[in-house]
Every structure is written in C-alpha cells, then in structure tokens.
Amino acid sequence: MDQIFSPNDPIIRQAEYRDLPALEWDGELIHFRRLYREIYQSSIKGNSILWLAETSSSGVVGQIFAQLRSMRIDLADGGMRAYIFGFRVKRSHQNRGIGSKLLDTCEAALLEKGYQYVNLSVSKSNIDALNFYQHRDYAVIGKDPGSWSYYNHKNDLIRVHDPGWRLEKQLVY
C-alpha cells in the first residue's frame, strides 16, 4: 500500500520523559502509566528504545517500542535479536502509512545498532496486524501463549492472557 501523508505529516522521534502522559492517549491507555515509566527507565539504561509519531494538530498518534535486552534472550539478547512491542496507531490515524513509517524507523535503527533479527507477537484475533507484518516480510515462527502481567496506574496486578503468534524478520540478508 502506498503511504498517504498530508501536509501534516507525522514526525517520528524517540520519546522523552515529557512524552509519557501523551502515550496514555487521553486516558484510553492510563492503565499502562506505570509500565510506560518502566519502559522509559529501561531506555535510559540502554535496554530499550521508544519511538512515537506525532502531528502538529493531533499530538502523539502512534508508538513503537523495541526491547534490546531482556531476561528472555530468545526475545532480545542485547546484540543480535530485538523484540518489538507496544506498537499501535490511534484508530483515527490508521491506514495513512504512519504504522509503516514507525516500523521502518524502528527496523532501521535496530539494523544500525547491529541487530540482525527482530521479533514480535501478534494476537491470533488481530488478522489485520498479522497481514501487515507478513506483508513486511515477518514470518510466523511459532505460537505465543500471550500470558504476561503488569501493574496498572492504581498498583493493581493485571494478568493478561491473549494467545498469539510469534513472528520474526531477518534485518540483513
């Protein structure tokens, strides 16, 4: 699909501390407040990178995070393999090429850092996302149990179970 950008093209840049409230998307994602802070702190230590897409008229309209190092080295080993997560574009801004621009930026930065593979998980119910990734040369390499947990903004432990597919792309050929 061709990228369709208006004169109000999104700017893709790394997130800064001051951007954390905007990642909550006007309260829609407030439950991730603590998680966003933890991911940002991880980026300061060099273990992750956070990018966002913003427009002058709408503010932050998209985000993508890359885990560089993780305790799960099958996901992110700090040198060869990175893990993409938290990738979303506001519904009102989808199908405008913003997701492609975010993913291109993320992949280029990972390649520049020497990463050879990037992997991610996608919910089995999210067929549109699966098609998007496969169109961009991601291959299904297995199932993902989709079980994880986080503490929300009220400090409640939230357990998530959303089975999915694990996908991988080789960045260098």
Side-chain angles (χ1 to χ4, degrees):
M1 182 174 116
D2 293 327
Q3 293 185 356
I4 303 167
F5 294 114
S6 69
N8 191 17
D9 284 352
I11 295 170
I12 309 296
R13 64 176 177 82
Q14 286 191 22
E16 301 173 7
Y17 182 78
R18 66 180 172 85
D19 296 314
L20 295 181
L23 295 177
E24 296 176 11
W25 290 8
D26 301 318
E28 182 181 342
L29 302 175
I30 192 172
H31 54 282
F32 288 141
R33 178 177 288 169
R34 184 172 168 175
L35 185 60
Y36 288 151
R37 253 190 321 224
E38 291 169 1
I39 296 165
Y40 181 78
Q41 291 301 320
S42 173
S43 75
I44 291 185
K45 296 175 185 173
N47 295 326
S48 61
I49 305 172
L50 296 73
W51 288 273
L52 53 82
E54 71 178 338
T55 66
S56 58
S57 61
S58 300
V60 174
V61 297
Q63 65 190 48
I64 189 169
F65 308 147
Q67 187 75 34
L68 306 178
R69 284 181 202 82
S70 170
M71 292 178 63
R72 287 196 51 195
I73 60 171
D74 62 316
L75 298 179
D77 63 9
M80 181 182 285
R81 184 175 314 281
Y83 182 74
I84 290 176
F85 67 106
F87 182 22
R88 58 179 56 94
V89 175
K90 284 187 176 180
R91 189 170 310 283
S92 61
H93 286 74
Q94 291 178 359
N95 299 312
R96 297 183 187 181
I98 295 171
S100 292
K101 195 170 180 182
L102 276 165
L103 191 57
D104 288 344
T105 300
C106 181
E107 290 175 356
L110 293 171
L111 189 57
E112 186 176 304
K113 290 181 173 293
Y115 286 85
Q116 296 176 24
Y117 298 92
V118 63
N119 58 85
L120 53 84
S121 296
V122 63
S123 174
K124 286 185 177 181
S125 64
N126 195 343
I127 303 303
D128 289 339
L130 179 62
N131 290 334
F132 171 78
Y133 294 126
Q134 288 179 320
H135 181 74
R136 297 190 47 99
D137 298 324
Y138 283 79
V140 174
I141 60 170
K143 294 180 180 180
D144 186 315
S147 296
W148 59 287
S149 60
Y150 67 97
Y151 285 93
N152 70 8
H153 63 295
K154 296 178 181 178
N155 209 30
D156 299 321
L157 179 63
I158 306 299
R159 296 183 194 280
V160 178
H161 181 70
D162 185 15
W165 300 109
R166 176 106 168 268
L167 288 82
E168 183 173 81
K169 179 178 181 177
Q170 185 175 358
L171 296 176
V172 293
Y173 298 97

